[in-house]
Amino acid sequence: MQESRRRIPSDGFACGETVEKEDAIPVVVFHCNLPGQRPLLKFNCREPSCGALEGGEDAAKLSDEDYTVDPNFFDDGYSLAGSTGFKVWTGSRLLIEALAWPQSDDCERLKSIQSRICNGARLIELGAGVGVVGTYLGAMGAQVLLTDLPTLVENSIDCNLLRNKTTTISSSDAVGVCPPWLAPDGIRIGSGWANSTPLDWTHALDEQLTEDQRSPIDFIVASDVVFLASMLSSLLNTVNSLFKASSHNNPSFILSFQRRDAEDGEESVAFTTVKGVVAAVKGRGWFIDCLSWRPVTVRKEKKGTVYKEESEVFVFEIKPGNSISDG
């Protein structure tokens, strides 16, 4: 890890949670602010976030009685991995800050990415979960296609996009018109646009996305999506397909990843490790660079005992071939 890439929390960026009732069922509402004290973005979740809040920020608390049987348990293609998408995880916060809250010490490559995102870059988010990252980047000015398993799209992403829909129009007439690749159902979010579609990494990309959806991509983004080692290969296969489909744009993959030390550490077979991510990327002949990282303290529970664990979260940029970092 390069100490120069260590990122302090962004001054002015704040998150929090509340608990609301919908049809007598408790719902966790995660919220975060945009730069310039614009209105909060809000996202319905099924559980409190994990590692996404800093000390002093309001955290939601649910009692044992508040947790209900997963209503989507028997949905086609749904899994344990899919069920984790209904909450906000550690990597989402650093990814948002790194891409949307510039700091003077950011490397030149990160500054370039930040500028492009605020000026209409076309993004596809993989494993979007409740939609925090993609919606936020859309509000900052990007054009974003949020994807996840059908259950997440239908029961989380679509609802949260509509919750954050805005009719505010930029002074630019062009920005006020939905980009063709997100039409006809693109939603205006802040200064940009967003839409959603189901995407299963275990199925062929061209069977799920139209050519218009898979070919104009500038950046692929994902946050905390491969905690299980079995998911990594499918994720990278999907990324590879997107690299090829949008090769004329020279897209890159921006991945946030929290170190999760299993009992067998970096040699874990079941859980994805930092070493495993780097090895899998380099094994494909791709380039990987750490754009930003931060130490985090995560609340954990084991055998009824609650404790805190120190870890790190990273933002990697991954590119095909022998690409060279700008710094």
Coordinates of all heavy atoms in Angstrom, one line a residue, residues 116 120-124 143 145 179-182 209-219 242 245-251:
R116 N -14.1 13.3 -15.4 CA -14.9 12.7 -16.4 C -16.3 12.3 -15.9 O -17.3 12.4 -16.6 CB -14.2 11.5 -17.0 CG -13.0 11.8 -17.8 CD -12.3 10.6 -18.3 NE -13.2 9.9 -19.3 CZ -12.9 8.7 -19.8 NH1 -11.8 8.0 -19.5 NH2 -13.7 8.2 -20.7
G120 N -20.4 13.7 -17.5 CA -21.3 12.9 -18.3 C -20.7 11.6 -18.7 O -21.1 10.9 -19.7
A121 N -19.6 11.0 -18.0 CA -19.1 9.7 -18.4 C -20.2 8.7 -18.3 O -21.1 8.8 -17.5 CB -18.0 9.4 -17.4
R122 N -20.1 7.6 -19.1 CA -21.1 6.5 -19.1 C -20.6 5.4 -18.3 O -19.5 4.8 -18.6 CB -21.3 6.1 -20.6 CG -22.0 7.2 -21.4 CD -21.8 7.1 -22.9 NE -20.4 7.2 -23.2 CZ -20.0 7.4 -24.5 NH1 -20.9 7.4 -25.5 NH2 -18.7 7.6 -24.7
L123 N -21.3 5.0 -17.3 CA -20.9 4.0 -16.3 C -21.9 2.9 -16.3 O -23.1 3.1 -16.4 CB -20.9 4.6 -14.9 CG -19.6 5.4 -14.5 CD1 -19.5 6.7 -15.3 CD2 -19.8 5.8 -13.0
I124 N -21.4 1.7 -16.0 CA -22.3 0.6 -15.7 C -21.8 0.1 -14.3 O -20.6 -0.1 -14.1 CB -22.2 -0.6 -16.7 CG1 -23.2 -1.7 -16.4 CG2 -20.8 -1.1 -16.9 CD1 -23.4 -2.7 -17.5
Q143 N -23.8 9.3 -16.5 CA -24.9 8.5 -17.0 C -24.6 7.1 -16.5 O -23.6 6.5 -16.8 CB -24.9 8.6 -18.6 CG -25.0 10.0 -19.1 CD -24.8 9.9 -20.7 OE1 -24.9 8.9 -21.3 NE2 -24.4 11.1 -21.2
L145 N -25.9 3.0 -15.7 CA -26.8 1.9 -15.8 C -26.5 1.0 -14.6 O -25.4 0.4 -14.5 CB -26.5 1.1 -17.1 CG -27.4 -0.1 -17.3 CD1 -28.9 0.3 -17.4 CD2 -27.0 -0.9 -18.6
P179 N -30.1 10.3 -22.3 CA -29.2 9.7 -23.2 C -29.8 8.5 -23.9 O -30.5 7.7 -23.2 CB -28.0 9.3 -22.3 CG -28.1 10.2 -21.1 CD -29.6 10.4 -20.9
P180 N -29.6 8.4 -25.2 CA -30.2 7.3 -25.9 C -30.0 5.9 -25.3 O -30.8 5.0 -25.4 CB -29.6 7.4 -27.3 CG -29.3 8.9 -27.5 CD -28.9 9.3 -26.1
W181 N -28.7 5.7 -24.8 CA -28.4 4.3 -24.3 C -29.1 4.0 -23.0 O -29.2 2.8 -22.6 CB -26.9 4.2 -24.2 CG -26.3 4.8 -23.0 CD1 -26.1 6.1 -22.8 CD2 -25.7 4.1 -21.9 NE1 -25.5 6.3 -21.6 CE2 -25.2 5.1 -21.0 CE3 -25.6 2.8 -21.5 CZ2 -24.6 4.8 -19.8 CZ3 -25.0 2.5 -20.3 CH2 -24.5 3.5 -19.4
L182 N -29.7 5.0 -22.4 CA -30.5 4.8 -21.1 C -32.0 4.9 -21.4 O -32.8 4.7 -20.5 CB -30.1 5.7 -20.0 CG -28.6 5.6 -19.5 CD1 -28.4 6.7 -18.4 CD2 -28.4 4.2 -19.0
L209 N -27.8 -7.8 -22.1 CA -27.7 -6.4 -22.4 C -27.8 -6.2 -23.9 O -27.2 -7.0 -24.7 CB -26.4 -5.8 -21.9 CG -26.1 -5.8 -20.4 CD1 -24.9 -5.1 -20.1 CD2 -27.3 -5.3 -19.6
T210 N -28.4 -5.1 -24.3 CA -28.5 -4.8 -25.8 C -27.1 -4.2 -26.1 O -26.3 -3.8 -25.3 CB -29.5 -3.7 -26.1 OG1 -29.2 -2.5 -25.4 CG2 -30.9 -4.2 -25.5
E211 N -26.9 -4.2 -27.4 CA -25.6 -3.6 -27.9 C -25.5 -2.1 -27.5 O -24.4 -1.7 -27.1 CB -25.5 -3.7 -29.4 CG -24.2 -3.2 -30.0 CD -24.0 -3.4 -31.5 OE1 -24.9 -4.0 -32.1 OE2 -23.0 -2.9 -32.0
D212 N -26.6 -1.4 -27.5 CA -26.5 0.0 -27.0 C -26.2 0.1 -25.5 O -25.6 1.1 -25.1 CB -27.9 0.7 -27.2 CG -28.2 0.9 -28.7 OD1 -27.2 0.9 -29.5 OD2 -29.3 1.2 -29.1
Q213 N -26.5 -0.9 -24.7 CA -26.2 -0.9 -23.3 C -24.8 -1.3 -23.0 O -24.2 -0.8 -22.0 CB -27.2 -1.8 -22.5 CG -28.6 -1.2 -22.5 CD -29.5 -2.2 -21.9 OE1 -29.4 -3.5 -22.1 NE2 -30.5 -1.8 -21.1
R214 N -24.2 -2.2 -23.8 CA -22.9 -2.7 -23.4 C -21.7 -2.1 -24.2 O -20.6 -2.3 -23.8 CB -22.9 -4.2 -23.7 CG -23.1 -4.7 -25.1 CD -23.0 -6.2 -25.1 NE -23.1 -6.7 -26.5 CZ -24.2 -7.0 -27.2 NH1 -25.4 -7.0 -26.5 NH2 -24.2 -7.5 -28.4
S215 N -22.0 -1.3 -25.3 CA -20.9 -0.8 -26.1 C -20.4 0.6 -25.8 O -19.3 0.9 -26.2 CB -21.3 -0.9 -27.6 OG -22.4 0.0 -27.9
P216 N -21.2 1.5 -25.1 CA -20.7 2.9 -24.9 C -19.9 3.1 -23.6 O -19.7 4.3 -23.3 CB -21.9 3.7 -25.0 CG -22.9 2.8 -24.3 CD -22.6 1.4 -24.7
I217 N -19.6 2.1 -22.9 CA -19.1 2.2 -21.5 C -17.7 2.9 -21.4 O -16.8 2.5 -22.1 CB -19.1 0.9 -20.8 CG1 -20.4 0.2 -20.9 CG2 -18.6 1.0 -19.3 CD1 -21.6 0.9 -20.3
D218 N -17.7 3.9 -20.5 CA -16.4 4.5 -20.2 C -15.8 3.9 -18.9 O -14.5 3.7 -18.8 CB -16.6 6.0 -19.9 CG -17.0 6.8 -21.2 OD1 -16.4 6.6 -22.2 OD2 -18.0 7.5 -21.1
F219 N -16.6 3.6 -17.9 CA -16.1 3.0 -16.7 C -17.1 1.9 -16.2 O -18.3 2.1 -16.3 CB -16.0 4.1 -15.6 CG -15.0 5.1 -15.8 CD1 -15.4 6.4 -16.2 CD2 -13.6 4.9 -15.7 CE1 -14.5 7.4 -16.5 CE2 -12.7 5.8 -15.9 CZ -13.1 7.1 -16.4
L242 N -17.4 -6.8 -21.0 CA -17.6 -5.4 -21.2 C -16.4 -4.7 -21.8 O -16.5 -3.7 -22.6 CB -18.0 -4.8 -19.8 CG -19.4 -5.1 -19.3 CD1 -19.5 -4.7 -17.8 CD2 -20.5 -4.4 -20.1
A245 N -16.7 -5.4 -25.4 CA -17.8 -4.7 -26.1 C -17.6 -3.2 -26.2 O -18.1 -2.6 -27.2 CB -19.1 -5.0 -25.3
S246 N -16.8 -2.6 -25.3 CA -16.6 -1.2 -25.3 C -15.1 -0.8 -25.6 O -14.6 0.2 -25.1 CB -17.0 -0.5 -24.0 OG -18.4 -0.6 -23.8
S247 N -14.4 -1.7 -26.3 CA -13.0 -1.6 -26.4 C -12.6 -0.2 -27.1 O -11.5 0.3 -26.8 CB -12.4 -2.7 -27.2 OG -13.0 -2.8 -28.5
H248 N -13.4 0.3 -27.9 CA -13.1 1.6 -28.6 C -13.1 2.7 -27.6 O -12.5 3.8 -27.9 CB -14.2 1.8 -29.7 CG -15.6 1.8 -29.2 ND1 -16.2 0.6 -28.9 CD2 -16.5 2.8 -29.0 CE1 -17.5 0.9 -28.5 NE2 -17.6 2.2 -28.5
N249 N -13.7 2.6 -26.4 CA -13.7 3.6 -25.4 C -12.6 3.4 -24.4 O -12.4 4.2 -23.5 CB -15.0 3.6 -24.6 CG -16.1 4.2 -25.4 OD1 -15.9 4.8 -26.4 ND2 -17.4 3.9 -25.0
N250 N -11.8 2.3 -24.5 CA -10.8 2.0 -23.5 C -11.3 2.1 -22.1 O -10.7 2.8 -21.3 CB -9.6 2.9 -23.7 CG -8.3 2.4 -23.0 OD1 -8.2 1.2 -22.7 ND2 -7.5 3.4 -22.6
P251 N -12.3 1.3 -21.7 CA -12.9 1.4 -20.4 C -12.0 0.8 -19.3 O -11.1 0.0 -19.6 CB -14.2 0.6 -20.5 CG -13.9 -0.4 -21.5 CD -13.0 0.3 -22.5

